[in-house]
Amino acid sequence: MKRGIAVLVSVGALFSVAYFTASKWAIKHETITFYDASRDNRPVPVDIAIRRDKEMQANAGMITLPVAVINHGNTVKNTEYGFLANIFAARGYLVVSPQHDLPTDPPMVTKPGELYVGRLPQILRGVANIHLAMQEMKKVQPNADYTKVTMVGHSMGGDITMYFAKQYPDEVKKVVTLDNLRVPFVTAGKFKILSFRSHDPEFKTDPGVIPTDEECEKAGIEVVKTNFQHNDMRDTGPDDAKSSIQGMLDKFLSDTDSAIAPVDTTSSPPKVLEPGPVALMAPAKS
């Protein structure tokens, strides 16, 4: 696809409410708290989403579940991205969403001029939480593939996602970010990347984070420029923002997941959400 040209597309037909409302195999959400002995037994609450029929098949040893890790934004709860978790769970993923910051943590102090604006300690904490969650989830659900996971994140969680992918590329299957602002994209081309960008004057992406259009084309990076605000990209956001993101994400997964697909939940045509348009666009050259 030629980049640098904005193309408006409607993605309403790509996403069905029936994925997680009409099925007798409903998506289950639960929270488990793990404790990290190497960090003074730090609690790491993890929200888990899974389709009930897939859970039963995995428990019976019939299938191995693909895994998606969703990373929340700064000071945002890990349970505030259900609209993303449900897309992955509907397709048969085991979705794991760690809580990276706790009320007892000191406030984040940004330091302009330092690496990632001084947020590296929080990013490293997130990486440690992800590895703990993966290690402990093997005991909870052993029939899942924790060796190659799909990494997802919004804002600070997007930076954690991109940093994790940079440091541990062999542990990553694909990457989805929503307005990561600090950590530059991985351009090695080892995995596909989908990134949604907001149109928000209060949240500016640092220079050098988003690759040039040529780098995107070469590395398999798809950048989606939206008209939504930075904080619209979670459960509290407007329905048109969430449904547009869901539609594009569902298409991305359909294109990159050859063996899995959402359950056919109804015998009649499913109700379809009608999201607003989004613009597909590669960033301008930096």
Side-chain angles (χ1 to χ4, degrees), residues 3-20:
R3 295 188 174 269
I5 299 176
V7 181
L8 293 180
V9 296
S10 174
V11 294
L14 299 176
F15 177 71
S16 169
V17 163
Y19 282 7
F20 44 84

Side-chain angles (χ1 to χ4, degrees), residues 201-270:
E202 298 299 320
F203 292 86
K204 296 293 188 180
T205 306
D206 286 350
V209 169
I210 303 176
T212 65
D213 53 351
E214 291 88 356
E215 289 172 322
C216 286
E217 187 73 33
K218 183 177 179 180
I221 298 171
E222 183 176 4
V223 174
V224 180
K225 183 179 179 182
T226 78
N227 291 320
F228 307 128
Q229 299 296 294
H230 180 83
N231 286 323
D232 288 346
M233 297 179 173
R234 60 181 199 254
D235 286 350
T236 55
D239 288 343
D240 63 334
K242 290 182 291 186
S243 59
S244 290
I245 291 169
Q246 285 174 319
M248 288 302 303
L249 175 57
D250 191 57
K251 182 180 184 302
F252 174 73
L253 295 177
S254 179
D255 291 343
T256 57
D257 289 338
S258 59
I260 55 177
V263 64
D264 182 8
T265 56
T266 59
S267 57
S268 58

Side-chain angles (χ1 to χ4, degrees), residues 95-285:
V95 185
V96 179
S97 304
Q99 180 65 43
H100 293 305
D101 48 39
L102 303 173
T104 53
D105 290 334
M108 182 171 61
V109 179
T110 58
K111 300 175 183 178
E114 292 192 6
L115 186 64
Y116 312 135
V117 197
R119 299 185 180 192
L120 184 58
Q122 287 76 25
I123 293 172
L124 292 174
R125 181 178 66 198
V127 170
N129 291 340
I130 293 168
H131 276 142
L132 175 73
M134 294 298 97
Q135 174 184 328
E136 295 301 317
M137 282 300 302
K138 292 177 184 178
K139 305 171 187 176
V140 176
Q141 178 48 266
N143 294 311
D145 183 6
Y146 302 101
T147 62
K148 284 275 192 181
V149 303
T150 295
M151 293 294 298
V152 187
H154 171 232
S155 191
M156 181 68 174
D159 287 324
I160 292 171
T161 291
M162 201 63 74
Y163 186 89
F164 188 98
K166 181 188 292 283
Q167 297 299 316
Y168 305 99
D170 293 337
E171 298 179 25
V172 175
K173 184 178 181 182
K174 60 176 76 73
V175 168
V176 179
T177 69
L178 302 94
D179 237 20
N180 58 304
L181 305 177
R182 312 296 180 188
V183 178
F185 281 52
V186 178
T187 57
K190 282 195 168 186
F191 36 75
K192 298 291 185 180
I193 297 176
L194 172 67
S195 184
F196 297 92
R197 315 308 304 177
S198 74
H199 183 70
D200 193 326
E202 298 299 320
F203 292 86
K204 296 293 188 180
T205 306
D206 286 350
V209 169
I210 303 176
T212 65
D213 53 351
E214 291 88 356
E215 289 172 322
C216 286
E217 187 73 33
K218 183 177 179 180
I221 298 171
E222 183 176 4
V223 174
V224 180
K225 183 179 179 182
T226 78
N227 291 320
F228 307 128
Q229 299 296 294
H230 180 83
N231 286 323
D232 288 346
M233 297 179 173
R234 60 181 199 254
D235 286 350
T236 55
D239 288 343
D240 63 334
K242 290 182 291 186
S243 59
S244 290
I245 291 169
Q246 285 174 319
M248 288 302 303
L249 175 57
D250 191 57
K251 182 180 184 302
F252 174 73
L253 295 177
S254 179
D255 291 343
T256 57
D257 289 338
S258 59
I260 55 177
V263 64
D264 182 8
T265 56
T266 59
S267 57
S268 58
K271 180 181 177 182
V272 174
L273 289 178
E274 292 293 343
V278 295
L280 298 184
M281 178 177 149
K285 296 182 180 180

